[in-house]
Amino acid sequence: MAIDVRSATEAYLHLIPLARELAATAYTREAHWLLLCSKLVALAIAALLARIDLAAMLAASLRSRAKPNRSAFAISFVILFSYFALEMPWFAVADWHRERSYGFSHQPLAAWAAEYAIQSLVTALVGAPLLAGFYAAARRTGPRWWVWGTGLAALGLVLALVVQPVALAPILHRYAPAPAGEMRTAVERLVASGGVGGVGGDRILVYDGSRQSSRYTASVTGIGSSATVLLSDAMFAQGADVGAVRAVVAHELGHQRHAHPLQLAIFLTFVVGVGLLVAQRSFKSSARLLGRSELSLADPAGLPILLGIFAVYTLVTTPLVNTAERLVEADADRYGLELAREPDGMARAVLATADYRASRPTRLEEFLFYDHPSNARRIEAAMEWKADHAASAASALRCADCRSGNAARPSADLAGAEKCNAASDGIHEGI
């Protein structure tokens, strides 16, 4: 029987209770204002640090002109860590308190603060040597400094998007092999069919994600035979829908198979390169505005001014970056549908995000603020795939029912969606 894509999409979206949809819309649009406020806070902190002149407060041995690279490292580290420390109260409200107020997290403030401090320390330790290289290039290469700066930015982005999540994970979470059962078996088969060799039960791990959030999520780290599938323990605690989990894991495998983190790092390198040219043109006027006209771009004491410029620049380029991320997420959705062949599982997984992502934004709102396609678009894409593969999907469903001993029911897909909608707190933004 032919599938009416529009009707099937609306049937899923109508499963979202009105009160839940209104709350999600409020949460989502509040985030839009918080984005602007975050950039204003960052700009204010940058201006404060520029006026305080932390570089002048360092011991003379740490800011020796005879050892400019060591001096640049020390100054950059102190400024970066101070910047993150001053941002902490804002994020305690905008992140920790807000998530708790909406019921998405029950993490104690002390635990959140400890994780924030660890991430800030690691970022400062990684960022300081990169900035020391940047300032060395600015001192030595003259007008071509931005080329070297862009190259260092590329290295930093690869570290941030590809290496840092893997390096930080063992510090922030505890891991254990996934327990034997239907879910692990389903994930093992899915990974094997995705061509990621060597991923057995010992490479499918459960981590304590529920400590931070009641949303369940999955991710894939590593490449090829070193790939590891990470499942939040919230999946098991909530008795997650296996079809939806297959869809989520297949989506994450799409990111891994298509090297999306690396693609984003390349794109963001271009964005940062343009930002460095903007900084070159605007640094002097910005320094004069803050009463620090004696500073130059090659002086690490001017790092707060550079951070302030980039706070404004990243706000302006947010729609461009969000568009790149939406394209990547849509590509992972397509890969996941082809791999898992779970269009209804995908729709149920997307529905689980309806608590914290408005499902029907305007086109302008989606363009400006959404780093994923809207829920309505993602469900519609899944239903389009289902319509295009109706015969093969029906055959796969019959085979699955034969293996499990269950009889197929015409209403199974939407019944499963209703169960998932009622029982699940959602899937993390990673889906």
Side-chain angles (χ1 to χ4, degrees):
M1 183 176 68
I3 297 172
D4 185 327
V5 171
R6 183 172 182 179
S7 296
T9 301
E10 290 298 319
Y12 272 110
L13 292 173
H14 284 157
L15 293 174
I16 304 172
L18 179 60
R20 185 182 177 201
E21 188 170 3
L22 291 174
T25 300
Y27 177 84
T28 302
R29 291 181 176 167
E30 182 181 278
H32 303 163
W33 287 106
L34 287 175
L35 171 65
L36 174 61
C37 291
S38 293
K39 298 302 182 181
L40 292 175
V41 168
L43 189 60
I45 292 172
L48 175 64
L49 291 175
R51 297 289 294 178
I52 291 176
D53 193 7
L54 288 175
M57 298 180 183
L58 291 177
S61 60
L62 294 179
R63 50 186 177 89
S64 170
R65 292 183 179 275
K67 297 179 179 179
N69 291 333
R70 187 177 71 174
S71 176
F73 171 84
I75 293 171
S76 297
F77 175 80
V78 169
I79 290 175
L80 282 178
F81 194 75
S82 300
Y83 182 86
F84 296 141
L86 289 170
E87 277 192 319
M88 186 176 178
W90 163 251
F91 284 113
V93 175
D95 183 8
W96 175 79
H97 176 71
R98 179 169 177 259
E99 292 299 299
R100 285 176 63 93
S101 67
Y102 278 91
F104 298 147
S105 174
H106 302 286
Q107 186 178 29
L109 177 59
W112 176 89
E115 292 181 1
Y116 181 93
I118 291 171
Q119 293 178 21
S120 298
L121 179 61
V122 171
T123 302
L125 285 172
V126 173
L130 292 172
L131 284 166
F134 164 79
Y135 286 114
R139 288 193 309 270
R140 298 175 183 176
T141 59
R144 296 189 304 277
W145 68 268
W146 66 273
V147 177
W148 294 96
T150 302
L152 288 167
L155 177 59
L157 287 165
V158 169
L159 291 173
L161 295 175
V162 181
V163 178
Q164 182 170 302
V166 179
L168 275 178
I171 301 174
L172 301 178
H173 296 289
R174 293 190 299 272
Y175 294 86
E182 182 183 12
M183 186 179 297
R184 192 179 85 178
T185 300
V187 173
E188 287 176 345
R189 290 175 177 170
L190 182 68
V191 171
S193 65
V196 182
V199 180
D202 60 333
R203 305 294 291 179
I204 300 175
L205 306 179
V206 178
Y207 68 96
D208 54 342
S210 60
R211 198 166 47 81
Q212 295 175 314
S213 174
S214 58
R215 305 169 186 172
Y216 64 81
T217 184
S219 61
V220 179
T221 63
I223 300 174
S225 61
S226 67
T228 301
V229 178
L230 306 177
L231 307 173
S232 171
D233 59 356
M235 286 182 166
F236 297 88
Q238 296 172 19
D241 173 359
V242 174
V245 171
R246 278 173 46 84
V248 172
V249 173
H251 169 96
E252 296 301 327
L253 285 169
H255 287 313
Q256 191 253 12
R257 293 287 287 175
H258 289 179
H260 287 154
L262 184 58
Q263 290 180 27
L264 284 175
I266 293 171
F267 172 76
L268 291 174
T269 296
F270 169 79
V271 174
V272 171
V274 174
L276 290 175
L277 289 177
V278 171
Q280 183 183 42
R281 299 292 182 89
S282 60
F283 188 90
K284 280 296 184 185
S285 58
S286 299
R288 282 196 300 270
L289 187 64
L290 293 173
R292 300 300 307 277
S293 57
E294 78 280 6
L295 294 175
S296 70
L297 194 63
D299 187 348
L303 178 57
I305 297 172
L306 193 62
L307 292 173
I309 292 171
F310 266 86
V312 176
Y313 177 73
T314 53
L315 177 64
V316 172
T317 57
T318 291
L320 180 64
V321 174
N322 282 345
T323 297
E325 293 183 349
R326 280 198 311 277
L327 292 174
V328 160
E329 295 297 334
D331 183 57
D333 279 353
R334 287 190 292 270
Y335 179 92
L337 287 167
E338 291 295 334
L339 176 61
R341 307 184 73 81
E342 291 276 7
D344 291 289
M346 182 57 155
R348 294 194 296 272
V350 170
L351 273 186
T353 70
D355 284 331
Y356 56 89
R357 187 182 296 145
S359 295
R360 302 174 188 263
T362 65
R363 287 185 177 272
L364 179 61
E365 186 179 8
E366 185 175 0
F367 170 73
L368 291 175
F369 300 111
Y370 275 53
D371 56 7
H372 286 63
S374 69
N375 292 346
R377 292 186 190 279
R378 298 180 81 182
I379 293 174
E380 182 179 34
M383 294 302 98
E384 287 176 349
W385 187 95
K386 183 178 180 180
D388 292 340
H389 299 77
S392 58
S395 177
L397 179 60
R398 285 195 298 272
C399 290
D401 287 329
C402 288
R403 287 195 299 270
S404 64
N406 294 326
R409 295 176 298 172
S411 61
D413 293 331
L414 288 182
E418 289 171 347
K419 180 180 178 182
C420 179
N421 188 55
S424 172
D425 284 328
I427 295 177
H428 188 266
E429 288 85 349
I431 173 60

